[in-house]
Amino acid sequence: METMIRPMKRADVPEIYRIECVCFRSPWSKMSLYGELRNDVAHYFVLTEGGKIAGYGGMWVVLDEAHVTNIAVLPEYRRRGYARRLMLQLMARALERGASAMTLEVRENNLGAQQMYGQLGFSQNGYRPRYYEDTGEGALLLWNTNLKATVASAGKIW
């Protein structure tokens, strides 16, 4: 099946919301997702497989920094490198928009995501205790301070 990454559209929001509900204990609302499409600093992409949305990712780019807001891949599409591809797409767009660094929060117990982020040049530069209200879990604050090098070493994005 062919996979493709493209910008998120308004018509994608109901499916993105479904993905939010499957992947997260505290999903973003449909209204929040629609709002991101009107946010000048927001950049969202969907990854499709065979025409179906398998995952999505988004970020805000402000000045020279990008902040990842969401990355989600449906369980049946995991372990195929899709989250990595979405992250690389976000990194490439961040570079196009003038960012040189990227940050994100990840649950302290989400070891799989932490491993992927480490492979993409992120390192911990902070901790937010009780960041996730749904479980009281803390968040690791991760940074990649050289997006250009990460994207260059990754080769073809999609």
Side-chain angles (χ1 to χ4, degrees):
M1 295 245 168
E2 182 183 359
T3 60
M4 183 177 97
I5 295 177
R6 62 169 173 77
M8 186 171 89
K9 302 179 289 196
R10 185 173 176 78
D12 297 328
V13 168
E15 182 61 15
I16 297 304
Y17 176 70
R18 186 182 81 78
I19 292 170
E20 278 279 311
C21 291
V22 169
C23 295
F24 301 117
R25 290 183 190 104
S26 299
W28 281 30
S29 70
K30 282 184 187 177
M31 291 308 298
S32 293
L33 294 166
Y34 283 121
E36 288 297 272
L37 291 171
R38 294 185 306 272
N39 180 345
D40 290 339
V41 301
H43 305 271
Y44 282 76
F45 293 91
V46 297
L47 184 143
T48 63
E49 180 179 277
K52 294 186 178 194
I53 298 175
Y56 86 105
M59 68 177 170
W60 298 334
V61 180
V62 179
L63 302 173
D64 64 343
E65 292 179 1
H67 179 95
V68 176
T69 55
N70 312 65
I71 289 283
V73 175
L74 286 168
E76 60 268 30
Y77 294 100
R78 292 181 185 162
R79 299 282 180 215
R80 299 181 192 184
Y82 290 171
R84 182 179 189 277
R85 288 175 63 183
L86 282 163
M87 283 297 298
L88 287 167
Q89 177 66 46
L90 292 174
M91 291 173 158
R93 174 58 62 92
L95 284 169
E96 290 171 5
R97 294 299 196 175
S100 58
M102 180 178 272
T103 187
L104 58 87
E105 292 91 5
V106 62
R107 288 181 186 265
E108 61 187 328
N109 292 321
N110 190 344
L111 303 180
Q114 290 173 37
Q115 180 181 17
M116 177 194 67
Y117 296 136
Q119 292 168 352
L120 291 172
F122 285 85
S123 57
Q124 186 179 348
N125 190 16
Y127 177 76
R128 298 177 191 219
R130 297 173 301 285
Y131 182 76
Y132 296 97
E133 293 179 9
D134 56 356
T135 63
E137 191 174 0
L140 305 181
L141 180 56
L142 305 182
W143 280 90
N144 176 317
T145 57
N146 193 344
L147 291 178
K148 192 173 186 177
T150 300
V151 171
S153 69
K156 188 174 187 233
I157 296 172
W158 58 92

